[in-house]
Amino acid sequence: MNNFARRIRPFVSRELAAAWRSPDPATRIAHLERAHVLGQASTREHVRAHIHMLACAWRRSDVHDVAGQLLRMLGAAAFTGVGMVPAGNTGGARVSAFQRMPIPPDLARLISWARRRR
């Protein structure tokens, strides 16, 4: 695991845990999207976020989202390592997989901290 992945993992884990603690589907999805944004620069964390998004879609019986997450998991596994991910993309199946999106300031600070070389 590289330094970025090691540093960002606890923050991704925190968002994933918050997602599964929430009884509200919209709140759960918001936390999963935050986990996705945080983990995008790490193949392991990026794929892990999509696995959780897939599980959430499965629980909601959302066939469109299940199919979208399966495709996105493959894309995350294949393209994250070569830097082909649109920064800030929330990872949902109803958003273009190629669309760059603004990164919330609190997440941008965590990502910047995790990218530091030390």
Side-chain angles (χ1 to χ4, degrees):
M1 186 180 310
N2 67 30
N3 284 336
F4 175 82
R6 184 176 45 76
R7 288 184 181 127
I8 205 69
R9 185 174 180 85
F11 302 106
V12 173
S13 295
R14 182 178 64 193
E15 292 294 339
L16 295 174
W20 293 112
R21 278 193 309 267
S22 176
D24 176 51
T27 301
R28 186 176 301 133
I29 290 168
H31 283 291
L32 293 173
E33 289 174 343
R34 288 173 57 83
H36 179 267
V37 170
L38 286 168
Q40 273 185 307
S42 160
T43 300
R44 172 183 265 168
E45 297 306 313
H46 193 180
V47 171
R48 185 164 77 121
H50 282 296
I51 289 169
H52 283 265
M53 292 174 132
L54 172 64
C56 182
W58 185 268
R59 284 178 76 173
R60 292 188 332 270
S61 301
D62 185 334
V63 176
H64 178 267
D65 207 18
V66 166
Q69 290 308 321
L70 288 170
L71 288 172
R72 285 166 185 264
M73 275 194 300
L74 294 172
F79 299 117
T80 302
V82 294
M84 293 180 61
V85 294
N89 187 289
T90 55
R94 287 173 173 75
V95 173
S96 168
F98 306 103
Q99 182 178 348
R100 292 177 60 95
M101 301 171 87
I103 299 172
D106 63 322
L107 300 186
R109 283 190 298 277
L110 292 172
I111 292 166
S112 177
W113 174 83
R115 284 189 171 141
R116 287 190 317 193
R117 300 248 192 260
R118 279 200 195 179

